[in-house]
Amino acid sequence: MNLSRHFPESHIALAHGNGGRLMRELIESLFAHHLKNDLLDTAVDAACLPITTGAGDIMMTTDGFTVEPLEFPGGNIGSLAVHGTINDLAVSGAIPLYLTLNAFIEEGLEVALLDRVLESMAQACRESNVSVVAGDTKVLRRGQGGGIYFATTGIGIRPSHLKLGMQQIRPGDAILLSGSVGDHGTAVLLAREQFGLSGELNSDSASVLPICQALTELAGLRFMRDPTRGGLATVAHEMANATQASVRLIETQIPVLDPVRMVCEILGYDPMYLASEGRVVAVIDPATSDTAIEKLHALGYTDAAIIGHVEVGRAQVILQTEIGGERILQELEDDPLPRIC
Amino acid sequence: MNLSRHFPESHIALAHGNGGRLMRELIESLFAHHLKNDLLDTAVDAACLPITTGAGDIMMTTDGFTVEPLEFPGGNIGSLAVHGTINDLAVSGAIPLYLTLNAFIEEGLEVALLDRVLESMAQACRESNVSVVAGDTKVLRRGQGGGIYFATTGIGIRPSHLKLGMQQIRPGDAILLSGSVGDHGTAVLLAREQFGLSGELNSDSASVLPICQALTELAGLRFMRDPTRGGLATVAHEMANATQASVRLIETQIPVLDPVRMVCEILGYDPMYLASEGRVVAVIDPATSDTAIEKLHALGYTDAAIIGHVEVGRAQVILQTEIGGERILQELEDDPLPRIC
């Protein structure tokens, strides 16, 4: 982790929240610079707390939610706020157990909307067997909020024997993706009236716990992450940077739904950078990859596929294109879609 | 806890965030209604997680921070966000250990201001020996935020033998206050340019851990709470409602600093309802009250005083006034000061 104070901008820009290079610089140069300690690692999804229990390691994570609109096909900010945080625990190998909830509500919000959002949140909690154990609400003056912002913090337990992390990745390892990319980003995009588009696409917002639990049973599992802000390309970049190896992705193997492809072509987005909220990228021993795919297909994740591998080479992300060429996927710079999650 | 769906308003108002009756109704009728479970108790400062450790009970709490202005005499939103959450753990009898941080930053925020705020946050963490172990940042479009909103979630360990809670309170118990009321609310008020006032008053924002640790050593301690939103009057109301007894406060015993008194007189506020961010209200066995006050004075909390007691009677808060009369302190209705914490 680079803790240098390289931060050339004098004011915060939208791109500082996009999951890409500028966000990484904001976190490293300001947040991690001041708050650094032995337990804070900005490159992991959840922290392991040094509290001894009989059950395993206590893992803790937090996430903020600002999605606009608050309701979208396939979910709303309530279900998203549960899925987002339990997914960070799940990809760490933990079983999510307890959540806390912060609500920042804008004056003038329709109570019926808040009611629907909380109902979805409760439903998502029940489905994943987690409980909200504490909360706090603040009301913001009209024009100082976005309807609702949520923050959820989660606690889970991870078996102590589980050794997952980017440091486990080796050249030759296979990269698995549990389903199509960019559904969430595109569904939210379409739900924004100003685009004048509508479609039948649903967000993929869901708990990835069943996927992660199936994969952690495999001996060859190295690492898991959910490709949210910044999408698959950003997770691939994080892996390339951490391992100082090349990440090669095979375009024809990466599932992209037709509506996502179409919207991206029309509006000039790249699905490789769009957020998913119910997918897992996993790195596994190639000897285990067939078994992994079979397990996920059997669980109903029929689009799960091996989409590439890690190879010796400089730290970069190579996309092997449909027509046989190669394209370097750059680290995300501009913010394609603010308030996507 | 009343989980009925009494919620007459169709839209959220500022007063739903003020710590008083409307906020209680919002939390009970919407949040607790949907999210109820055995661990969620909206009347406590921190939840006890059913994870067995050798060290004690794991306590968890969360708090959101929206104070305006972001910097005020005696602190800023960074130090406040640390103090607020560790204080909720401290009054539960726990030693705070780990925090997570959510930052919602508005596009256009000056980076130098963010830097100062994070520096104060780090300083507050060091002073209380807590670590930020995970975080998340979101950037909000210009006009959809208030500069910075923070949420901090805290984990602490409480000795398993400690039995604190409003259910421990009995008629005859003494009510202790660790220092003057309303300093934070008034300091923030004065820092808002539009009032055209300025003063030498500092916020009392601080960790109350030393106070709480001193008091937990006493056998007769029943309950502690920090009087933040809604002030001393709101804590007194919570106690009266929970115990179905009268809470009698003696006005002459309640420390109010001169500038606080003056500002309240000019602007028509009641210091009993103004927020403190570094004070503790404690209920103790009257046999222990002298010892408690001596301990706090010795620690430098020279304004600590016994300010009243709990007595048999209907559930209400009685203020015995300076001139010998009695005044009933009503539950807070309107929001006196939005974005005070």
Side-chain angles (χ1 to χ4, degrees):
Chain A
M1 183 166 59
N2 172 18
L3 288 180
S4 80
R5 294 276 273 160
H6 169 74
F7 200 78
E9 294 84 12
S10 66
H11 292 80
I12 298 293
L14 276 181
H16 285 116
N18 71 355
R21 179 179 65 83
L22 287 166
M23 189 171 103
R24 180 167 52 75
E25 288 177 5
L26 171 69
I27 291 171
E28 289 174 359
S29 303
L30 285 153
F31 285 88
H33 171 80
H34 285 296
L35 302 171
K36 60 180 173 289
N37 62 76
D38 292 347
L39 295 172
L40 180 62
D41 181 349
T42 60
V44 300
D45 286 294
C48 180
L49 303 186
I51 299 175
T52 307
T53 78
D57 299 328
I58 300 183
M59 305 296 290
M60 187 173 193
T61 190
T62 196
D63 211 349
F65 300 89
T66 63
V67 67
E68 179 190 31
L70 300 171
E71 299 177 292
F72 47 82
N76 61 38
I77 193 170
S79 50
L80 185 68
V82 174
H83 294 148
T85 288
I86 66 178
N87 287 353
D88 282 347
L89 291 170
V91 296
S92 305
I95 307 272
L97 294 172
Y98 310 113
L99 298 181
T100 63
L101 171 66
N102 300 90
F104 298 90
I105 305 172
E106 190 179 6
E107 180 190 11
L109 182 80
E110 200 193 344
V111 171
L113 169 58
L114 179 61
D115 196 52
R116 291 195 297 277
V117 160
L118 292 174
E119 194 170 8
S120 296
M121 175 170 267
Q123 177 65 23
C125 284
R126 280 191 294 272
E127 285 169 6
S128 293
N129 211 16
V130 296
S131 308
V132 173
V133 298
D136 184 64
T137 60
K138 291 286 183 292
V139 177
L140 307 169
R141 211 184 277 278
R142 204 183 295 264
Q144 295 182 339
I148 302 172
Y149 303 136
F150 280 143
T152 48
T153 304
I155 290 279
I157 300 279
R158 182 185 66 179
S160 301
H161 65 83
L162 213 56
K163 293 281 170 274
L164 296 178
M166 287 201 278
Q167 73 284 0
Q168 308 288 335
I169 299 175
R170 303 156 210 193
D173 281 350
I175 300 171
L176 178 152
L177 176 65
S178 70
S180 53
V181 295
D183 300 14
H184 176 75
T186 311
V188 171
L189 191 67
L190 289 175
R192 290 184 186 166
E193 289 175 295
Q194 63 260 41
F195 284 102
L197 294 166
S198 73
E200 291 188 359
L201 184 69
N202 280 335
S203 164
D204 57 299
S205 176
S207 164
V208 299
L209 186 61
I211 301 169
C212 296
Q213 287 300 299
L215 293 177
T216 53
E217 291 168 7
L218 300 172
L221 180 68
R222 320 275 201 222
F223 170 73
M224 298 187 285
R225 177 150 291 169
D226 50 335
T228 58
R229 266 185 295 182
L232 173 60
T234 296
V235 174
H237 260 282
E238 289 164 351
M239 296 195 300
N241 287 336
T243 57
Q244 288 295 303
S246 292
V247 170
R248 179 176 292 270
L249 303 176
I250 316 295
E251 194 170 27
T252 51
Q253 301 299 313
I254 301 171
V256 182
L257 297 183
D258 282 340
V260 172
R261 199 181 296 277
M262 211 164 60
V263 168
C264 283
E265 273 172 19
I266 295 170
L267 296 175
Y269 292 113
D270 184 341
M272 298 299 129
Y273 294 89
L274 292 188
S276 299
E277 290 290 344
R279 306 298 183 217
V280 176
V281 177
V283 181
I284 50 175
D285 183 333
T288 324
S289 61
D290 286 350
T291 317
I293 293 296
E294 279 164 25
K295 283 187 90 161
L296 294 190
H297 286 182
L299 283 172
Y301 300 96
T302 50
D303 285 338
I306 301 299
I307 59 160
H309 61 272
V310 180
E311 62 187 24
V312 175
R314 54 185 291 235
Q316 61 182 0
V317 181
I318 304 159
L319 184 71
Q320 204 165 301
T321 62
E322 220 156 335
I323 52 169
E326 284 187 358
R327 175 157 78 90
I328 302 299
L329 289 184
Q330 300 297 334
E331 193 173 4
L332 186 62
E333 290 278 330
D334 285 333
D335 194 3
L337 294 168
R339 290 188 60 188
I340 206 69
C341 59
Chain B
M1 185 167 57
N2 173 18
L3 287 179
S4 79
R5 295 276 272 159
H6 169 73
F7 200 80
E9 294 84 11
S10 66
H11 293 80
I12 298 294
L14 276 180
H16 285 116
N18 71 354
R21 179 177 66 82
L22 288 166
M23 189 170 103
R24 180 168 53 72
E25 288 176 6
L26 170 69
I27 291 172
E28 289 175 359
S29 304
L30 284 153
F31 286 88
H33 171 81
H34 285 295
L35 301 172
K36 60 180 173 286
N37 63 74
D38 291 346
L39 297 172
L40 180 63
D41 181 349
T42 60
V44 299
D45 286 294
C48 180
L49 303 185
I51 298 175
T52 307
T53 78
D57 299 328
I58 301 183
M59 304 298 288
M60 189 174 193
T61 190
T62 197
D63 211 348
F65 300 88
T66 64
V67 67
E68 180 190 31
L70 301 171
E71 299 176 293
F72 47 82
N76 62 37
I77 193 170
S79 51
L80 185 68
V82 173
H83 295 147
T85 288
I86 66 179
N87 286 353
D88 281 347
L89 291 170
V91 296
S92 306
I95 306 272
L97 294 172
Y98 310 113
L99 298 181
T100 62
L101 171 66
N102 300 90
F104 298 89
I105 306 172
E106 190 179 5
E107 179 190 10
L109 182 79
E110 200 193 346
V111 170
L113 169 57
L114 179 60
D115 196 52
R116 290 196 297 277
V117 160
L118 292 174
E119 194 171 6
S120 296
M121 174 169 268
Q123 177 64 26
C125 284
R126 280 190 296 272
E127 284 169 8
S128 292
N129 210 15
V130 297
S131 308
V132 173
V133 298
D136 183 64
T137 61
K138 291 287 184 290
V139 177
L140 308 168
R141 211 184 278 278
R142 203 184 294 265
Q144 296 183 340
I148 302 172
Y149 302 137
F150 281 142
T152 48
T153 305
I155 290 279
I157 299 278
R158 182 185 66 180
S160 301
H161 66 83
L162 213 57
K163 294 280 170 274
L164 297 179
M166 287 200 279
Q167 72 285 0
Q168 308 289 334
I169 299 174
R170 306 159 208 188
D173 281 350
I175 300 171
L176 177 152
L177 176 65
S178 69
S180 54
V181 295
D183 300 14
H184 176 76
T186 311
V188 170
L189 191 67
L190 289 176
R192 291 185 186 165
E193 289 175 295
Q194 63 259 40
F195 284 103
L197 295 166
S198 74
E200 291 188 359
L201 184 69
N202 280 336
S203 163
D204 56 300
S205 175
S207 164
V208 299
L209 186 61
I211 300 169
C212 296
Q213 287 299 299
L215 293 177
T216 53
E217 290 167 7
L218 301 172
L221 181 67
R222 319 277 201 221
F223 168 73
M224 297 186 284
R225 178 151 291 169
D226 50 334
T228 58
R229 265 185 296 183
L232 173 62
T234 296
V235 174
H237 261 281
E238 289 163 350
M239 296 195 301
N241 288 336
T243 58
Q244 288 296 304
S246 292
V247 170
R248 178 175 295 269
L249 303 177
I250 316 297
E251 194 170 28
T252 50
Q253 300 300 313
I254 300 170
V256 183
L257 297 184
D258 283 340
V260 172
R261 197 182 298 276
M262 210 167 59
V263 168
C264 283
E265 273 171 20
I266 295 171
L267 297 174
Y269 293 114
D270 184 340
M272 299 299 128
Y273 293 89
L274 292 188
S276 300
E277 290 289 343
R279 305 297 183 220
V280 176
V281 176
V283 181
I284 51 175
D285 183 332
T288 324
S289 62
D290 285 349
T291 317
I293 293 296
E294 278 163 26
K295 284 189 90 162
L296 295 190
H297 287 181
L299 283 171
Y301 299 96
T302 50
D303 285 339
I306 300 300
I307 60 161
H309 61 270
V310 180
E311 62 187 25
V312 175
R314 54 184 290 236
Q316 62 183 1
V317 180
I318 304 159
L319 185 71
Q320 205 165 301
T321 61
E322 221 155 335
I323 52 169
E326 284 186 359
R327 175 157 79 89
I328 302 299
L329 289 184
Q330 301 297 334
E331 192 173 5
L332 185 63
E333 289 278 331
D334 286 332
D335 194 2
L337 293 167
R339 290 189 58 190
I340 206 71
C341 59

